[in-house]
Amino acid sequence: MGEFDLIAKYFTRPAKRAALGVGDDCALLAPAPGMQLAISSDMLVEGRHFLSTVEPSRLGHKALAVNLSDLAACGARPLAFTLALSMPTADEPWLAGFSRGLLALADEHGCELIGGDTTRGPLNICITVFGEVPAGSALLRSGAKVGDDIWVSGTLGDARLALEAFRGTLSLPAPMLKQARMRMEHPTPRVALGQALRGVATAAIDVSDGLLGDLVHILLASRVGARIDADAASELVAARRMPSNAESGLALETFRTCALSGGDDYELAFTARPEARDAVEQASRASHTAVARIGVVEAVPGVRVVDAHGTPLAQRFTSFDHFG
Ligand code: ADP
Ligand code: MG
């Protein structure tokens, strides 16, 4: 199967939102009056970001999900995306699965595939997403203020638990592994929550490299520090709440580490004034996305990790750094 047949069969659909989609030299996309385009790219490299054993449809889902997560962190509504794909062979069962997972998530968010590039090479997937946000109302990293609450959506640390289980550094009872693996391979971008937080959150970021590491980006951009409750965060590990955790033998320390520096969560971490707690809960209900308060913004730079009693923890939690 040739390059153009492959594009036509797996990656071409009629454009609805874009003025022009796949098939010409450029796609054309017109932002609505009063809106700004929000644009973000993320690349997934085999062996680095995903295991070669992952099911193609889940990989298709995840490749778009991690990009939609960036739009969510800006409070933007997804519009369209491009796909640059390099792969060793035109493996049709792989392409069918990959495009199915990819386009199912695209449809769920009304985000259409408008172009890309296809070439032979090591398996590598690069997506660029385009979203829209009312001019001046994007959520940024730089707006956190001393006294703000620190919140996080959904669940934390499950993807890291699954990764460690695959690496063989810990073992999980089957139901916990299933849950954790789902979070690793099938993340849920918090797109509706991000939009609902416009005008409510003072700063936001999506958690891709680990909660603390990503939170530091907010703290540096906002020139503030934070105190984080490690126990409130470790409550958010979904696998930990399962009955089979009773026989997992996993220590609290493990759940704290996974929650605080796990990576691959694709949740939103955000700050908001304490007066806005009702508004945050309202945004949570409207978007059917759980949120939890896990800390507070302080004036002193750096992050202080404490337990549920407020006692400082000595352990260091470092996040994922591709060149670290
Ligand atoms: P050009 O040579 O002008 O860059 P290509 O021959 O690379 O164009 O691609 C032909 C058309 O197919 C273009 O509209 C391009 O955006 C689209 N396209 C190529 N690869 C993909 C892909 N993986 N997914 C979606 N569209 C693609
Ligand atoms: Mg090209």
Side-chain angles (χ1 to χ4, degrees):
M1 146 166 278
E3 179 186 335
F4 299 102
D5 296 332
L6 179 167
I7 295 167
K9 182 161 176 189
Y10 294 107
F11 300 117
T12 304
R13 301 163 106 209
K16 293 188 197 128
R17 189 168 271 155
L20 183 64
V22 170
D24 215 303
D25 292 311
C26 290
L28 298 173
L29 189 63
M35 301 297 240
Q36 286 175 314
L37 276 183
I39 304 164
S40 180
S41 291
D42 256 311
M43 182 151 65
L44 269 73
V45 176
E46 181 168 14
R48 192 75 197 169
H49 300 94
F50 59 91
L51 307 169
S52 57
T53 50
V54 66
E55 209 189 289
S57 67
R58 291 202 178 170
L59 186 58
H61 171 99
K62 185 166 178 176
L64 183 58
V66 305
N67 279 278
L68 291 175
S69 179
D70 283 308
L71 289 184
C74 279
R77 182 171 79 109
L79 294 175
F81 69 106
T82 61
L83 168 68
L85 182 61
S86 129
M87 58 195 167
T89 57
D91 174 346
E92 287 218 53
W94 188 91
L95 281 163
F98 177 81
S99 63
R100 181 162 29 85
L102 177 84
L103 296 175
L105 183 65
D107 287 346
E108 203 180 298
H109 292 279
C111 187
E112 61 192 23
L113 177 56
I114 56 170
D117 198 23
T118 305
T119 154
R120 192 185 293 272
L123 186 55
N124 190 342
I125 304 154
C126 183
I127 287 179
T128 299
V129 279
F130 302 83
E132 66 176 12
V133 61
S137 67
L139 301 176
L140 305 180
R141 297 178 178 184
S142 52
K145 296 278 182 300
V146 173
D148 282 0
D149 294 322
I150 299 173
W151 299 79
V152 66
S153 66
T155 68
L156 286 177
D158 293 284
R160 180 61 177 272
L161 271 184
L163 179 65
E164 296 300 336
F166 284 118
R167 283 176 171 165
T169 61
L170 53 78
S171 74
L172 295 173
M176 284 176 81
L177 179 60
K178 192 166 174 231
Q179 157 72 35
R181 182 174 189 175
M182 197 63 182
R183 294 297 299 143
M184 175 171 78
E185 295 180 352
H186 205 267
T188 307
R190 304 303 185 183
V191 171
L193 177 65
Q195 291 170 78
L197 287 173
R198 289 199 306 246
V200 176
T202 51
I205 191 167
D206 71 315
V207 180
S208 53
D209 296 333
L211 176 70
L212 292 187
D214 286 318
L215 187 64
V216 163
H217 296 303
I218 287 186
L219 303 179
L220 292 175
S222 304
R223 299 165 184 276
V224 291
R227 180 159 45 89
I228 295 293
D229 178 344
D231 290 331
S234 63
E235 291 291 330
L236 303 178
V237 183
R240 186 184 176 194
R241 296 194 293 255
M242 301 180 73
S244 55
N245 182 35
E247 70 236 33
S248 77
L250 293 178
L252 172 60
E253 191 96 318
T254 303
F255 290 114
R256 282 177 176 161
T257 302
C258 287
L260 294 180
S261 55
D264 250 9
D265 297 302
Y266 303 103
E267 295 295 350
L268 297 185
F270 58 95
T271 56
R273 300 301 304 160
E275 306 84 83
R277 281 180 196 171
D278 286 347
V280 171
E281 299 288 356
Q282 174 56 36
S284 163
R285 280 192 299 276
S287 59
H288 306 287
T289 309
V291 295
R293 209 149 30 86
I294 55 154
V296 61
V297 176
E298 297 178 336
V300 182
V303 181
R304 286 149 299 279
V305 180
V306 300
D307 68 10
H309 309 291
T311 309
L313 297 180
Q315 193 188 345
R316 282 185 53 75
F317 299 92
T318 48
S319 75
F320 199 82
D321 178 341
H322 284 281
F323 295 98

